[in-house]
Amino acid sequence: MRVPKKERQRLLQETIEHNPFIKDEELSKQFSVSIQTIRLDRMELKIPEVRERIKHVASEHLDEVKSLSMSEVIGDMIDLKLDDSAISVLDIEKEHVFSRNEIARGHVLFAQANSLAVALINDELALTTKADIRFSRQVHLGERVVAKARVLKLRGDGRTDVTVESYVGEECVFDGDFTIYRRSEEEQA
Amino acid sequence: MRVPKKERQRLLQETIEHNPFIKDEELSKQFSVSIQTIRLDRMELKIPEVRERIKHVASEHLDEVKSLSMSEVIGDMIDLKLDDSAISVLDIEKEHVFSRNEIARGHVLFAQANSLAVALINDELALTTKADIRFSRQVHLGERVVAKARVLKLRGDGRTDVTVESYVGEECVFDGDFTIYRRSEEEQA
DNA sequence: CTGCTATTAGTACCAGGTATTAAGTTCTTT
DNA sequence: AAAGAACTTAATACCTGGTACTAATAGCAG
């Protein structure tokens, strides 16, 4: 359980890095050393106390605007008819663009379209199996992208063809054909 | 300087909302009341102490940290030969998956592949114009996806064909053919 | 003046530390 | 095996930014 100092300090650094909220007491238990040893280690490694660490994380937060919530549908869903059609809106902000030229990254538009296509499916599980996509015009910082998804065909075998077209104003900026797999419980990515 | 209680509490709420880092002492000075009055106000308004507030801000931050990686190359680039080939590694974590079944979302794999294809291009500007992709097997939480990109053809007109294959171990989980547009300064998304 | 709310004061206590001094405990190295 | 250095633990005083509680006072309406 007990590791040599160098190794412990390496692990300590890692541990704190990935969980800045951890207290000395917990650390001392984790490494089976006294709390004082942990404090000495922190001193040597110049790692501040837990409150300072938390404060730091929090203040970084303040600088940043909203980030991409990769985890949920990207954009705001404004209309949804299951197994039929759906619309979502995404305002292009600076976390979506290349800093050099302020043009939206391809996977942002893809993410909006893909999320929408998946959300459209009226089933427990829906996963994209295939997509053919085209980016027809660049999208700039500040523009509003409206994605429209429509079910083309509900096949018997669990696959559904969905087409998505994304617009900035009147202009089509992206379109794609998706094949989405649905199932009650398992498989396919 | 001294305002009635109701008004003070309204202002207090606002003040704290827009600066969660402020301490009772500072607040008491700002409103020209004693520190105890501030504490009573916080009690009535159910506003927690400063450390808790900071902790809260910081923990919100933690949820978002990971998704920020969306803005840069997704995954860690472990090999890169410009205009030739590149490899990146992405460990699937919980922000990448559907919570229901712990299967990675399609646009995560797409983002990794797309970022890699774009990074591969040895030019100021590189933008995806077209992609045909297939998801051949679902990827689960905790798995490590290795994406390998290879340039197929450098066309004269600024377009480059790149193929990307992503693996978990020996298994191919994703593959796609991308057409990337390059240019010194402007256009195309 | 009485009564009521609002405010202020004071004290004890807590978490999670810092800072310092001192006393072990190991590991080497001779 | 003895000496020394490096490492670890202990003990104590003190700090910040509070909580929780009790009690005293201020200001004003009826």
Short mmCIF file of all heavy atoms in Angstrom, two decimals, chain B residues 21-73:
data_model
loop_
_atom_site.label_atom_id
_atom_site.label_comp_id
_atom_site.label_asym_id
_atom_site.label_seq_id
_atom_site.Cartn_x
_atom_site.Cartn_y
_atom_site.Cartn_z
N PHE B 21 -18.22 35.36 -5.01
CA PHE B 21 -17.00 35.31 -4.21
C PHE B 21 -16.97 36.31 -3.06
O PHE B 21 -16.06 36.33 -2.27
CB PHE B 21 -15.78 35.57 -5.10
CG PHE B 21 -15.54 34.50 -6.12
CD1 PHE B 21 -16.34 34.41 -7.25
CD2 PHE B 21 -14.53 33.58 -5.95
CE1 PHE B 21 -16.13 33.42 -8.19
CE2 PHE B 21 -14.30 32.59 -6.89
CZ PHE B 21 -15.11 32.50 -8.02
N ILE B 22 -17.95 37.16 -2.99
CA ILE B 22 -17.93 38.23 -1.99
C ILE B 22 -18.20 37.70 -0.58
O ILE B 22 -19.03 36.83 -0.36
CB ILE B 22 -18.95 39.33 -2.39
CG1 ILE B 22 -18.67 40.60 -1.63
CG2 ILE B 22 -20.37 38.84 -2.21
CD1 ILE B 22 -19.41 41.82 -2.19
N LYS B 23 -17.42 38.23 0.38
CA LYS B 23 -17.55 37.78 1.77
C LYS B 23 -18.54 38.66 2.54
O LYS B 23 -18.77 39.81 2.17
CB LYS B 23 -16.20 37.84 2.47
CG LYS B 23 -15.20 36.85 1.92
CD LYS B 23 -13.80 37.19 2.40
CE LYS B 23 -12.76 36.67 1.41
NZ LYS B 23 -11.45 37.34 1.59
N ASP B 24 -19.02 38.12 3.65
CA ASP B 24 -19.97 38.85 4.48
C ASP B 24 -19.41 40.21 4.90
O ASP B 24 -20.14 41.19 4.95
CB ASP B 24 -20.32 38.05 5.73
CG ASP B 24 -21.19 36.85 5.41
OD1 ASP B 24 -21.56 36.69 4.24
OD2 ASP B 24 -21.49 36.08 6.33
N GLU B 25 -18.14 40.23 5.20
CA GLU B 25 -17.54 41.46 5.68
C GLU B 25 -17.66 42.57 4.64
O GLU B 25 -18.05 43.69 4.95
CB GLU B 25 -16.07 41.22 6.02
CG GLU B 25 -15.53 42.25 6.99
CD GLU B 25 -14.04 42.04 7.24
OE1 GLU B 25 -13.58 40.89 7.13
OE2 GLU B 25 -13.36 43.04 7.54
N GLU B 26 -17.32 42.22 3.42
CA GLU B 26 -17.42 43.20 2.34
C GLU B 26 -18.85 43.65 2.14
O GLU B 26 -19.13 44.83 1.93
CB GLU B 26 -16.91 42.59 1.04
CG GLU B 26 -15.47 42.93 0.72
CD GLU B 26 -15.16 42.59 -0.74
OE1 GLU B 26 -15.52 43.39 -1.61
OE2 GLU B 26 -14.59 41.49 -0.97
N LEU B 27 -19.74 42.68 2.20
CA LEU B 27 -21.16 43.00 2.03
C LEU B 27 -21.61 43.97 3.12
O LEU B 27 -22.34 44.92 2.84
CB LEU B 27 -21.98 41.71 2.08
CG LEU B 27 -21.86 40.81 0.85
CD1 LEU B 27 -22.39 39.42 1.13
CD2 LEU B 27 -22.59 41.43 -0.34
N SER B 28 -21.16 43.70 4.33
CA SER B 28 -21.61 44.55 5.45
C SER B 28 -21.15 45.99 5.24
O SER B 28 -21.85 46.94 5.56
CB SER B 28 -21.11 44.00 6.78
OG SER B 28 -19.81 44.46 7.06
N LYS B 29 -19.94 46.12 4.67
CA LYS B 29 -19.45 47.46 4.37
C LYS B 29 -20.28 48.10 3.27
O LYS B 29 -20.69 49.25 3.35
CB LYS B 29 -17.99 47.41 3.94
CG LYS B 29 -17.04 47.35 5.12
CD LYS B 29 -15.61 47.16 4.65
CE LYS B 29 -14.73 46.76 5.84
NZ LYS B 29 -13.48 46.12 5.40
N GLN B 30 -20.54 47.30 2.25
CA GLN B 30 -21.26 47.84 1.10
C GLN B 30 -22.66 48.33 1.48
O GLN B 30 -23.13 49.32 0.93
CB GLN B 30 -21.37 46.76 0.04
CG GLN B 30 -21.00 47.25 -1.33
CD GLN B 30 -20.96 46.13 -2.34
OE1 GLN B 30 -21.96 45.74 -2.91
NE2 GLN B 30 -19.77 45.58 -2.52
N PHE B 31 -23.29 47.64 2.41
CA PHE B 31 -24.65 48.04 2.75
C PHE B 31 -24.70 48.83 4.06
O PHE B 31 -25.76 49.16 4.55
CB PHE B 31 -25.53 46.80 2.85
CG PHE B 31 -25.75 46.14 1.52
CD1 PHE B 31 -25.05 45.00 1.16
CD2 PHE B 31 -26.66 46.67 0.60
CE1 PHE B 31 -25.24 44.41 -0.07
CE2 PHE B 31 -26.86 46.08 -0.63
CZ PHE B 31 -26.15 44.95 -0.98
N SER B 32 -23.52 49.10 4.61
CA SER B 32 -23.43 49.84 5.87
C SER B 32 -24.29 49.26 6.98
O SER B 32 -25.02 49.99 7.66
CB SER B 32 -23.83 51.31 5.64
OG SER B 32 -23.06 51.87 4.62
N VAL B 33 -24.21 47.97 7.11
CA VAL B 33 -24.86 47.32 8.25
C VAL B 33 -23.85 46.40 8.90
O VAL B 33 -22.75 46.20 8.37
CB VAL B 33 -26.09 46.49 7.81
CG1 VAL B 33 -27.20 47.38 7.27
CG2 VAL B 33 -25.69 45.45 6.78
N SER B 34 -24.20 45.83 10.02
CA SER B 34 -23.26 44.94 10.69
C SER B 34 -23.21 43.61 9.96
O SER B 34 -24.09 43.26 9.18
CB SER B 34 -23.71 44.70 12.12
OG SER B 34 -24.85 43.90 12.10
N ILE B 35 -22.15 42.89 10.26
CA ILE B 35 -21.96 41.58 9.66
C ILE B 35 -23.10 40.64 10.04
O ILE B 35 -23.55 39.82 9.24
CB ILE B 35 -20.58 41.03 10.09
CG1 ILE B 35 -19.77 40.67 8.85
CG2 ILE B 35 -20.72 39.84 11.01
CD1 ILE B 35 -18.40 40.14 9.16
N GLN B 36 -23.59 40.79 11.24
CA GLN B 36 -24.69 39.92 11.69
C GLN B 36 -25.95 40.14 10.88
O GLN B 36 -26.70 39.19 10.60
CB GLN B 36 -24.98 40.15 13.17
CG GLN B 36 -23.95 39.58 14.12
CD GLN B 36 -22.74 40.47 14.27
OE1 GLN B 36 -22.57 41.43 13.52
NE2 GLN B 36 -21.90 40.15 15.23
N THR B 37 -26.18 41.37 10.52
CA THR B 37 -27.36 41.67 9.72
C THR B 37 -27.27 40.95 8.37
O THR B 37 -28.24 40.35 7.90
CB THR B 37 -27.49 43.18 9.51
OG1 THR B 37 -27.58 43.79 10.80
CG2 THR B 37 -28.73 43.52 8.72
N ILE B 38 -26.08 41.02 7.81
CA ILE B 38 -25.86 40.31 6.54
C ILE B 38 -26.14 38.82 6.70
O ILE B 38 -26.81 38.20 5.89
CB ILE B 38 -24.40 40.51 6.06
CG1 ILE B 38 -24.13 41.98 5.74
CG2 ILE B 38 -24.12 39.63 4.84
CD1 ILE B 38 -24.90 42.53 4.56
N ARG B 39 -25.67 38.27 7.81
CA ARG B 39 -25.87 36.83 8.01
C ARG B 39 -27.35 36.51 8.18
O ARG B 39 -27.84 35.50 7.66
CB ARG B 39 -25.09 36.35 9.24
CG ARG B 39 -23.67 36.89 9.33
CD ARG B 39 -22.58 35.84 9.21
NE ARG B 39 -21.59 36.00 10.25
CZ ARG B 39 -20.26 36.11 10.03
NH1 ARG B 39 -19.77 36.07 8.80
NH2 ARG B 39 -19.42 36.24 11.03
N LEU B 40 -28.04 37.36 8.91
CA LEU B 40 -29.48 37.16 9.05
C LEU B 40 -30.14 37.21 7.68
O LEU B 40 -31.00 36.38 7.35
CB LEU B 40 -30.08 38.23 9.97
CG LEU B 40 -29.87 38.00 11.46
CD1 LEU B 40 -30.39 39.19 12.26
CD2 LEU B 40 -30.55 36.72 11.91
N ASP B 41 -29.74 38.19 6.89
CA ASP B 41 -30.31 38.30 5.55
C ASP B 41 -30.07 37.04 4.74
O ASP B 41 -30.98 36.49 4.11
CB ASP B 41 -29.70 39.50 4.80
CG ASP B 41 -30.26 40.83 5.30
OD1 ASP B 41 -31.26 40.82 6.05
OD2 ASP B 41 -29.70 41.88 4.93
N ARG B 42 -28.84 36.56 4.78
CA ARG B 42 -28.52 35.35 4.02
C ARG B 42 -29.37 34.18 4.47
O ARG B 42 -29.85 33.38 3.67
CB ARG B 42 -27.04 35.02 4.14
CG ARG B 42 -26.17 35.72 3.10
CD ARG B 42 -24.85 35.02 2.88
NE ARG B 42 -24.01 34.94 4.06
CZ ARG B 42 -23.88 33.88 4.82
NH1 ARG B 42 -24.53 32.77 4.54
NH2 ARG B 42 -23.09 33.90 5.88
N MET B 43 -29.55 34.12 5.82
CA MET B 43 -30.38 33.05 6.37
C MET B 43 -31.78 33.13 5.78
O MET B 43 -32.30 32.13 5.26
CB MET B 43 -30.48 33.21 7.88
CG MET B 43 -29.22 32.86 8.60
SD MET B 43 -29.35 31.25 9.36
CE MET B 43 -29.51 31.78 11.08
N GLU B 44 -32.36 34.28 5.85
CA GLU B 44 -33.73 34.45 5.36
C GLU B 44 -33.83 34.13 3.88
O GLU B 44 -34.80 33.54 3.42
CB GLU B 44 -34.22 35.88 5.62
CG GLU B 44 -34.56 36.13 7.08
CD GLU B 44 -35.01 37.56 7.34
OE1 GLU B 44 -35.61 38.17 6.44
OE2 GLU B 44 -34.74 38.08 8.45
N LEU B 45 -32.81 34.52 3.16
CA LEU B 45 -32.83 34.31 1.70
C LEU B 45 -32.28 32.93 1.32
O LEU B 45 -32.20 32.59 0.15
CB LEU B 45 -32.02 35.40 1.01
CG LEU B 45 -32.52 36.84 1.22
CD1 LEU B 45 -31.51 37.84 0.68
CD2 LEU B 45 -33.86 37.03 0.53
N LYS B 46 -31.87 32.19 2.34
CA LYS B 46 -31.29 30.85 2.12
C LYS B 46 -30.10 30.89 1.16
O LYS B 46 -29.96 30.04 0.27
CB LYS B 46 -32.36 29.89 1.59
CG LYS B 46 -33.63 29.97 2.44
CD LYS B 46 -34.35 28.64 2.47
CE LYS B 46 -35.43 28.74 3.55
NZ LYS B 46 -36.41 27.69 3.54
N ILE B 47 -29.26 31.87 1.34
CA ILE B 47 -28.04 31.95 0.55
C ILE B 47 -26.91 31.36 1.38
O ILE B 47 -26.68 31.80 2.49
CB ILE B 47 -27.71 33.42 0.20
CG1 ILE B 47 -28.82 34.00 -0.66
CG2 ILE B 47 -26.37 33.52 -0.51
CD1 ILE B 47 -28.70 35.50 -0.88
N PRO B 48 -26.21 30.37 0.86
CA PRO B 48 -25.14 29.74 1.63
C PRO B 48 -23.91 30.62 1.78
O PRO B 48 -23.79 31.64 1.11
CB PRO B 48 -24.81 28.49 0.82
CG PRO B 48 -25.29 28.76 -0.55
CD PRO B 48 -26.41 29.73 -0.44
N GLU B 49 -23.02 30.21 2.65
CA GLU B 49 -21.79 30.97 2.88
C GLU B 49 -20.89 30.96 1.65
O GLU B 49 -21.05 30.13 0.75
CB GLU B 49 -21.03 30.38 4.08
CG GLU B 49 -20.62 28.93 3.87
CD GLU B 49 -19.68 28.44 4.96
OE1 GLU B 49 -18.50 28.85 4.93
OE2 GLU B 49 -20.12 27.68 5.83
N VAL B 50 -19.95 31.87 1.66
CA VAL B 50 -19.11 32.09 0.48
C VAL B 50 -18.40 30.82 0.00
O VAL B 50 -18.33 30.56 -1.20
CB VAL B 50 -18.10 33.23 0.72
CG1 VAL B 50 -17.05 32.85 1.75
CG2 VAL B 50 -17.45 33.65 -0.57
N ARG B 51 -17.89 30.00 0.91
CA ARG B 51 -17.14 28.82 0.44
C ARG B 51 -18.05 27.86 -0.30
O ARG B 51 -17.66 27.25 -1.29
CB ARG B 51 -16.53 28.07 1.62
CG ARG B 51 -15.48 28.82 2.38
CD ARG B 51 -15.46 28.26 3.76
NE ARG B 51 -14.65 28.97 4.70
CZ ARG B 51 -15.01 29.12 5.97
NH1 ARG B 51 -16.18 28.65 6.39
NH2 ARG B 51 -14.23 29.74 6.80
N GLU B 52 -19.26 27.72 0.20
CA GLU B 52 -20.20 26.84 -0.47
C GLU B 52 -20.57 27.39 -1.84
O GLU B 52 -20.72 26.65 -2.80
CB GLU B 52 -21.47 26.66 0.38
CG GLU B 52 -21.25 25.85 1.64
CD GLU B 52 -20.61 24.50 1.34
OE1 GLU B 52 -21.11 23.78 0.45
OE2 GLU B 52 -19.59 24.16 1.97
N ARG B 53 -20.70 28.69 -1.90
CA ARG B 53 -21.05 29.30 -3.18
C ARG B 53 -19.95 29.05 -4.21
O ARG B 53 -20.20 28.66 -5.35
CB ARG B 53 -21.28 30.80 -3.01
CG ARG B 53 -22.50 31.12 -2.14
CD ARG B 53 -22.91 32.58 -2.19
NE ARG B 53 -21.88 33.55 -1.90
CZ ARG B 53 -21.74 34.22 -0.77
NH1 ARG B 53 -22.55 33.97 0.27
NH2 ARG B 53 -20.81 35.12 -0.63
N ILE B 54 -18.73 29.25 -3.76
CA ILE B 54 -17.59 29.04 -4.66
C ILE B 54 -17.52 27.59 -5.10
O ILE B 54 -17.31 27.28 -6.27
CB ILE B 54 -16.27 29.45 -3.96
CG1 ILE B 54 -16.25 30.96 -3.78
CG2 ILE B 54 -15.07 28.98 -4.76
CD1 ILE B 54 -15.03 31.47 -3.04
N LYS B 55 -17.73 26.71 -4.13
CA LYS B 55 -17.69 25.29 -4.44
C LYS B 55 -18.71 24.97 -5.53
O LYS B 55 -18.46 24.21 -6.45
CB LYS B 55 -18.00 24.48 -3.17
CG LYS B 55 -17.25 23.18 -3.08
CD LYS B 55 -17.61 22.42 -1.83
CE LYS B 55 -16.95 22.97 -0.57
NZ LYS B 55 -17.30 22.17 0.64
N HIS B 56 -19.85 25.56 -5.39
CA HIS B 56 -20.93 25.31 -6.34
C HIS B 56 -20.56 25.77 -7.74
O HIS B 56 -20.73 25.04 -8.71
CB HIS B 56 -22.21 26.01 -5.87
CG HIS B 56 -23.39 25.69 -6.71
ND1 HIS B 56 -23.98 26.63 -7.54
CD2 HIS B 56 -24.06 24.55 -6.88
CE1 HIS B 56 -24.99 26.05 -8.18
NE2 HIS B 56 -25.07 24.79 -7.80
N VAL B 57 -20.04 26.97 -7.83
CA VAL B 57 -19.60 27.50 -9.12
C VAL B 57 -18.55 26.56 -9.73
O VAL B 57 -18.61 26.22 -10.90
CB VAL B 57 -18.98 28.91 -8.96
CG1 VAL B 57 -18.34 29.35 -10.27
CG2 VAL B 57 -20.05 29.89 -8.54
N ALA B 58 -17.62 26.13 -8.88
CA ALA B 58 -16.53 25.29 -9.36
C ALA B 58 -17.03 23.94 -9.85
O ALA B 58 -16.55 23.42 -10.85
CB ALA B 58 -15.48 25.09 -8.26
N SER B 59 -18.00 23.40 -9.16
CA SER B 59 -18.46 22.07 -9.56
C SER B 59 -19.26 22.12 -10.85
O SER B 59 -19.20 21.21 -11.65
CB SER B 59 -19.27 21.42 -8.44
OG SER B 59 -20.43 22.17 -8.21
N GLU B 60 -19.97 23.21 -11.04
CA GLU B 60 -20.64 23.39 -12.32
C GLU B 60 -19.59 23.37 -13.42
O GLU B 60 -19.77 22.78 -14.47
CB GLU B 60 -21.33 24.76 -12.38
CG GLU B 60 -22.73 24.75 -11.83
CD GLU B 60 -23.36 26.13 -11.97
OE1 GLU B 60 -22.63 27.08 -12.33
OE2 GLU B 60 -24.56 26.24 -11.71
N HIS B 61 -18.51 24.04 -13.12
CA HIS B 61 -17.42 24.15 -14.07
C HIS B 61 -16.91 22.78 -14.48
O HIS B 61 -16.68 22.51 -15.64
CB HIS B 61 -16.29 24.95 -13.44
CG HIS B 61 -15.09 25.07 -14.32
ND1 HIS B 61 -15.18 25.60 -15.59
CD2 HIS B 61 -13.81 24.76 -14.13
CE1 HIS B 61 -13.98 25.60 -16.12
NE2 HIS B 61 -13.13 25.09 -15.27
N LEU B 62 -16.74 21.93 -13.49
CA LEU B 62 -16.17 20.62 -13.77
C LEU B 62 -16.97 19.85 -14.81
O LEU B 62 -16.41 19.14 -15.63
CB LEU B 62 -16.07 19.80 -12.49
CG LEU B 62 -14.86 20.11 -11.63
CD1 LEU B 62 -14.65 19.00 -10.63
CD2 LEU B 62 -13.61 20.29 -12.49
N ASP B 63 -18.28 19.99 -14.78
CA ASP B 63 -19.10 19.30 -15.75
C ASP B 63 -18.77 19.75 -17.16
O ASP B 63 -18.89 19.01 -18.10
CB ASP B 63 -20.58 19.60 -15.50
CG ASP B 63 -21.01 19.09 -14.15
OD1 ASP B 63 -20.33 18.20 -13.62
OD2 ASP B 63 -22.02 19.59 -13.64
N GLU B 64 -18.41 21.00 -17.25
CA GLU B 64 -18.24 21.56 -18.57
C GLU B 64 -16.82 21.44 -19.11
O GLU B 64 -16.62 21.50 -20.31
CB GLU B 64 -18.62 23.04 -18.54
CG GLU B 64 -20.13 23.21 -18.39
CD GLU B 64 -20.51 24.64 -18.16
OE1 GLU B 64 -19.64 25.51 -18.37
OE2 GLU B 64 -21.65 24.88 -17.77
N VAL B 65 -15.89 21.28 -18.22
CA VAL B 65 -14.49 21.24 -18.63
C VAL B 65 -14.24 20.29 -19.79
O VAL B 65 -13.68 20.67 -20.79
CB VAL B 65 -13.59 20.81 -17.46
CG1 VAL B 65 -12.23 20.38 -17.96
CG2 VAL B 65 -13.43 21.96 -16.50
N LYS B 66 -14.71 19.10 -19.62
CA LYS B 66 -14.44 18.07 -20.61
C LYS B 66 -15.01 18.44 -21.97
O LYS B 66 -14.40 18.22 -22.98
CB LYS B 66 -15.03 16.74 -20.14
CG LYS B 66 -14.39 16.21 -18.88
CD LYS B 66 -13.10 15.46 -19.17
CE LYS B 66 -12.32 15.17 -17.89
NZ LYS B 66 -12.99 14.16 -17.06
N SER B 67 -16.20 18.98 -21.98
CA SER B 67 -16.85 19.24 -23.25
C SER B 67 -16.14 20.34 -24.02
O SER B 67 -16.27 20.47 -25.21
CB SER B 67 -18.31 19.60 -23.03
OG SER B 67 -18.41 20.66 -22.13
N LEU B 68 -15.34 21.11 -23.32
CA LEU B 68 -14.57 22.15 -23.97
C LEU B 68 -13.59 21.57 -24.97
O LEU B 68 -13.21 22.23 -25.92
CB LEU B 68 -13.77 22.93 -22.93
CG LEU B 68 -14.46 24.17 -22.41
CD1 LEU B 68 -13.54 24.89 -21.45
CD2 LEU B 68 -14.85 25.07 -23.55
N SER B 69 -13.20 20.36 -24.71
CA SER B 69 -12.22 19.76 -25.60
C SER B 69 -12.79 19.68 -27.01
O SER B 69 -12.09 19.45 -27.96
CB SER B 69 -11.82 18.39 -25.10
OG SER B 69 -12.96 17.61 -24.92
N MET B 70 -14.08 19.87 -27.11
CA MET B 70 -14.75 19.96 -28.40
C MET B 70 -14.09 21.02 -29.25
O MET B 70 -14.04 20.91 -30.46
CB MET B 70 -16.20 20.35 -28.15
CG MET B 70 -17.08 20.33 -29.36
SD MET B 70 -17.76 18.70 -29.63
CE MET B 70 -18.91 19.03 -30.95
N SER B 71 -13.59 22.06 -28.60
CA SER B 71 -13.07 23.18 -29.39
C SER B 71 -11.72 22.86 -30.01
O SER B 71 -11.36 23.42 -31.02
CB SER B 71 -12.99 24.44 -28.56
OG SER B 71 -13.13 24.17 -27.21
N GLU B 72 -11.00 21.96 -29.39
CA GLU B 72 -9.74 21.60 -30.01
C GLU B 72 -9.81 20.18 -30.55
O GLU B 72 -10.85 19.57 -30.55
CB GLU B 72 -8.59 21.78 -29.01
CG GLU B 72 -8.32 23.24 -28.69
CD GLU B 72 -8.26 24.13 -29.95
OE1 GLU B 72 -7.68 23.71 -30.96
OE2 GLU B 72 -8.85 25.22 -29.92
N VAL B 73 -8.73 19.71 -31.00
CA VAL B 73 -8.72 18.34 -31.50
C VAL B 73 -9.26 17.43 -30.41
O VAL B 73 -8.87 17.51 -29.26
CB VAL B 73 -7.29 17.89 -31.85
CG1 VAL B 73 -7.30 16.42 -32.24
CG2 VAL B 73 -6.73 18.73 -32.95
#
